[in-house]
Amino acid sequence: PGSKDICASLLQIRDASTSLQNLLEPNNWNQYTVIDGEGRAGSTDGARRILGGIAPQSGMAAIDAAKKTPLYRIDVAFVTVRKAVLEGSDAWTESFDLDRFEELADRVVYNVSKSDGNFYSVLFAMKGGKMIEDIFVETRGLVNQGVGDLEEMIGLLKSAGAPCMD
């Protein structure tokens, strides 16, 4: 994550999609969307790590954590693709739909950030399962949208013949 290498960035986008899909798996989702008997949310740290919201600090530990968290600094991967398309002379860059890619990228960054914020905010929500449940429902919709957007983005990259996408 955060690499300016085009292949590393493309693989990060692919891995980000997989991470979001894994988050939505029932066993994983249910683990992070617990509401206890007193109406409080359970720990959401795991979901926030997947979403890149618990940012690595520094040093080798940060590098190791970032490698396991493809959504961390996904914005840099999107910028790297944009730059490669604008500056590129490779055949794939000529047929690539950059406008659509940028629309998807903006929405993915927003939805991932909002989802992370939601997972954080439930920890401070007033007791009451309904409010927290509504936040989790909204968050699931944002994550679903993120998966769809990343999958469409990957389709755009593959159909243009971008490197490292097979």
Side-chain angles (χ1 to χ4, degrees), residues 75-96:
D75 57 317
V76 176
F78 297 151
V79 168
T80 301
V81 171
R82 180 181 187 277
K83 188 174 181 181
V85 170
L86 292 175
E87 295 176 355
S89 58
D90 296 336
W92 76 272
T93 62
E94 295 171 19
S95 64
F96 187 67

Side-chain angles (χ1 to χ4, degrees), residues 80-156:
T80 301
V81 171
R82 180 181 187 277
K83 188 174 181 181
V85 170
L86 292 175
E87 295 176 355
S89 58
D90 296 336
W92 76 272
T93 62
E94 295 171 19
S95 64
F96 187 67
D97 186 351
L98 183 59
D99 290 336
R100 182 64 182 151
F101 177 85
E102 288 183 326
E103 289 172 23
L104 295 168
D106 287 345
R107 197 162 55 201
V108 166
V109 168
Y110 173 81
N111 287 345
V112 167
S113 177
K114 175 80 169 129
S115 295
D116 176 56
N118 283 356
F119 274 115
Y120 182 71
S121 73
V122 295
L123 300 175
F124 303 101
M126 294 178 62
K127 288 183 184 178
K130 180 65 175 145
M131 175 196 270
I132 295 170
E133 188 178 311
D134 289 347
I135 293 170
F136 285 146
V137 167
E138 175 194 29
T139 304
R140 187 174 187 86
L142 293 168
V143 173
N144 270 320
Q145 181 69 54
V147 169
D149 289 345
L150 285 166
E151 286 301 305
E152 182 179 344
M153 188 181 285
I154 291 166
L156 290 172

Side-chain angles (χ1 to χ4, degrees), residues 9-30:
S9 294
L10 294 171
L11 294 175
Q12 182 181 356
I13 292 168
R14 185 202 63 205
D15 293 346
S17 177
T18 301
S19 287
L20 283 183
Q21 290 173 33
N22 287 337
L23 177 59
L24 289 172
E25 288 292 320
N27 289 340
N28 295 331
W29 186 259
N30 294 339

Side-chain angles (χ1 to χ4, degrees), residues 32-54:
Y32 303 125
T33 58
V34 171
I35 301 173
D36 69 17
E38 296 179 14
R40 293 180 300 205
S43 175
T44 60
D45 286 354
R48 294 194 64 227
R49 269 190 204 89
I50 291 167
L51 293 165
I54 297 181

